[in-house]
Amino acid sequence: MSSSGNDIITLTGGIDVGNGYVKGVIQNTKTAVFDEIDLPSAVVSTSRTSPKVPLADSEAFAVVTGDFYNQLDCSLSTPLVAAADRRIFGRAALSVRGSKFTEFEVIGKHSKADQELSKVLVLGVFAGKALRDHVTTHGALPDHELRVQVRAGLALPISEYVARRHAYAAEFTGAQGGTDRTVHLVTIKNFSTPVSVRLEFIDVQVMAEGASAQFAITDKGELLAQALLQDLRTRDASLVEGVTAADLVAVKNTIGVDVGEGTVNFPVFTGGRFNPEAAATLEEGYGTALMNAMERMNESDSTLQFSSRKQLADFLHASPSVLQRSRHDRAAGFVEIEAGYLVDEIVSALGDVLSQAGATTEVVYVYGGGSGPIKDLLHPALLKASGDVPVLYLDSSYSRHLNREGLYIAARHVEQSAQTARAEQTREQATVW
């Protein structure tokens, strides 16, 4: 059936597809409803018709208003995905047996832009948001195909950003300079009645990983700056003596250390602008340490067996029971050794970036989902390596979300510019008539 403009769902979102987790924020621009997204960057794929029993349609409202993104079950028909297999997303994927489990490769130099998983995750979460909003508004599944127009902010590692950003965006929108947009069909199969979602990307802004986080830091202004100063004062007041929140907001020359699962990005801002010439990417991250630790466990401790690095990370993150404590301590010991090697690599890379950026650097920010687990090792090492340049180590409870917020800001800015242009065109037409 045809859809009027009023029937089309319009979404604007920033999706940070990390090697470990997908962090996103998506707004329905007609209802102003925001969704925050946080799920493991993993799917289970199967060619079987029913990898699990569909839920009754009557359960749709209860399901989509819960942790829907972590149990999304769908197939995709799009030029970006080779097979129309069913895919189960997020935490639900970690418990499905007998199917193909896919997560990002963090050992080797296989580009994230070339890994199909990045496209699957982006398309899935936007389709999930569209269905979630429809069901929460109408109380039931739709009886027609949902049509969705998307504006997105996405990110690539700095090492890929310069050469790949335009081509990566065009994969979602369609041929560069063309008028026909690529159509991506996502069929959601969580319920007895499948739901078809037709996605068209109006605009895709691609930013460098880490650089998007820096934009978010600037956007948060003095509120975040004051929290950082308070944290620094509890550890070494001499580092920020006489420094105000306004001083931090005014900083124009910065280096970021964005610790991810598969990469560590070092975005450099010179005079308030991203400087790709000085920026760098280290092609390993916290996930590399986990994978290397798993390999050593397999060789030397048969009692420590983990099916994936995510399972190991979750095991270490949880407080162990009395019966698990010995295994927990041994596993943590293996990971700490590998994390020590990673810290050495990060410190060495930062030294190179500091040399390239020059003596104008005012502050080093440390953030990212992988920064929390290695803080006790990394923070003192960075303080020593940076000399008299302050190192602001952001708490991982919010720093892991900074990239997604910066990506949303970029997508929203383009949307607002388009709205302004349309309003100006309308005024001009009214003047002519």
Side-chain angles (χ1 to χ4, degrees):
M1 60 180 290
S2 62
S3 298
S4 68
N6 290 333
D7 294 329
I8 296 175
I9 299 169
T10 55
L11 304 177
T12 298
I15 310 297
D16 175 23
V17 181
N19 286 288
Y21 289 84
V22 179
K23 288 83 67 179
V25 58
I26 305 176
Q27 183 191 35
N28 185 317
T29 61
K30 292 183 178 178
T31 64
V33 174
F34 279 92
D35 278 13
E36 293 185 351
I37 293 157
D38 195 333
L39 69 153
S41 296
V43 298
V44 158
S45 307
T46 177
S47 58
R48 288 180 294 160
T49 304
S50 299
K52 60 179 186 176
V53 178
L55 300 169
D57 291 354
S58 59
E59 296 183 53
F61 186 85
V63 171
V64 303
T65 54
D67 192 10
F68 184 47
Y69 298 102
N70 270 297
Q71 52 186 311
L72 184 65
D73 177 355
C74 66
S75 60
L76 301 95
S77 177
T78 165
L80 305 187
V81 176
D85 293 348
R86 292 186 73 152
R87 290 174 170 87
I88 298 170
F89 282 55
R91 296 206 171 276
L94 304 182
S95 59
V96 176
R97 301 296 178 217
S99 301
K100 181 184 177 183
F101 178 81
T102 304
E103 60 184 348
F104 284 111
E105 298 176 15
V106 296
I107 295 179
K109 298 187 180 297
H110 193 182
S111 166
K112 186 188 295 183
D114 292 331
Q115 295 185 58
E116 188 177 86
L117 179 60
S118 63
K119 288 94 168 183
V120 168
L121 293 168
V122 170
L123 297 176
V125 296
F126 276 114
K129 167 65 172 170
L131 179 60
R132 195 169 193 258
D133 284 359
H134 179 92
V135 173
T136 53
T137 299
H138 300 282
L141 294 173
D143 59 2
H144 58 279
E145 177 183 83
L146 297 180
R147 293 191 57 190
V148 187
Q149 292 183 345
V150 176
R151 293 182 181 274
L154 306 176
L156 288 175
I158 291 170
S159 58
E160 302 174 18
Y161 164 77
V162 174
R164 305 290 300 273
R165 65 189 188 279
H166 297 304
Y168 189 61
E171 288 187 76
F172 291 93
T173 59
Q176 295 184 50
T179 55
D180 293 333
R181 297 192 184 98
T182 298
V183 173
H184 313 274
L185 291 177
V186 180
T187 304
I188 297 175
K189 300 181 175 180
N190 289 77
F191 308 103
S192 297
T193 301
V195 177
S196 179
V197 182
R198 177 184 294 260
L199 300 172
E200 294 183 31
F201 285 76
I202 305 302
D203 180 77
V204 174
Q205 298 294 308
V206 179
M207 301 181 69
E209 291 178 358
S212 51
Q214 186 64 54
F215 282 119
I217 290 171
T218 302
D219 185 69
K220 288 178 179 294
E222 293 193 20
L223 186 65
L224 176 59
Q226 190 60 50
L228 291 173
L229 289 174
Q230 289 172 353
D231 179 54
L232 271 178
R233 288 191 180 103
T234 62
R235 288 182 279 105
D236 188 348
S238 64
L239 286 174
V240 291
E241 186 175 350
V243 178
T244 68
D247 293 331
L248 269 188
V249 173
V251 162
K252 300 294 184 182
N253 302 290
T254 67
I255 296 174
V257 181
D258 180 19
V259 185
E261 189 152 328
T263 59
V264 180
N265 286 285
F266 299 85
V268 176
F269 281 75
T270 304
R273 298 179 65 86
F274 177 59
N275 181 353
E277 299 301 321
T281 298
L282 175 64
E283 301 290 348
E284 55 185 291
Y286 181 60
T288 315
L290 292 173
M291 292 293 291
N292 290 338
M294 286 174 59
E295 187 174 321
R296 293 188 63 219
M297 290 177 205
N298 289 336
E299 294 172 351
S300 57
D301 192 334
S302 61
T303 65
L304 296 174
Q305 300 294 320
F306 298 93
S307 61
S308 69
R309 65 178 187 270
K310 287 182 177 58
Q311 189 181 61
L312 171 57
D314 286 346
F315 178 72
L316 293 175
H317 181 71
S319 298
S321 69
V322 174
L323 298 175
Q324 291 176 322
R325 190 169 296 149
S326 176
R327 269 175 289 145
H328 188 277
D329 290 345
R330 295 200 309 278
F334 280 105
V335 174
E336 184 172 356
I337 291 171
E338 297 301 329
Y341 295 130
L342 173 63
V343 166
D344 291 342
E345 295 290 336
I346 294 173
V347 169
S348 176
L350 176 62
D352 294 340
V353 174
L354 279 166
S355 298
Q356 186 72 21
T360 59
T361 302
E362 297 168 89
V363 65
V364 174
Y365 288 105
V366 188
Y367 44 83
S371 64
I374 62 173
K375 181 177 181 179
D376 290 344
L377 294 173
L378 180 59
H379 196 188
L382 292 178
L383 287 170
K384 183 177 180 180
S386 65
D388 61 354
V389 178
V391 176
L392 304 187
Y393 210 112
L394 280 66
D395 189 277
S396 61
S397 64
Y398 57 85
S399 74
R400 67 189 297 270
H401 299 304
L402 288 173
N403 272 311
R404 79 175 187 191
E405 293 177 23
L407 294 170
Y408 172 76
I409 291 168
R412 179 65 175 157
H413 174 74
V414 174
E415 178 195 350
Q416 290 172 335
S417 298
Q419 290 174 346
T420 301
R422 286 194 298 270
E424 184 64 30
Q425 184 179 31
T426 301
R427 282 195 296 270
E428 291 177 355
Q429 290 174 340
T431 301
V432 170
W433 289 103

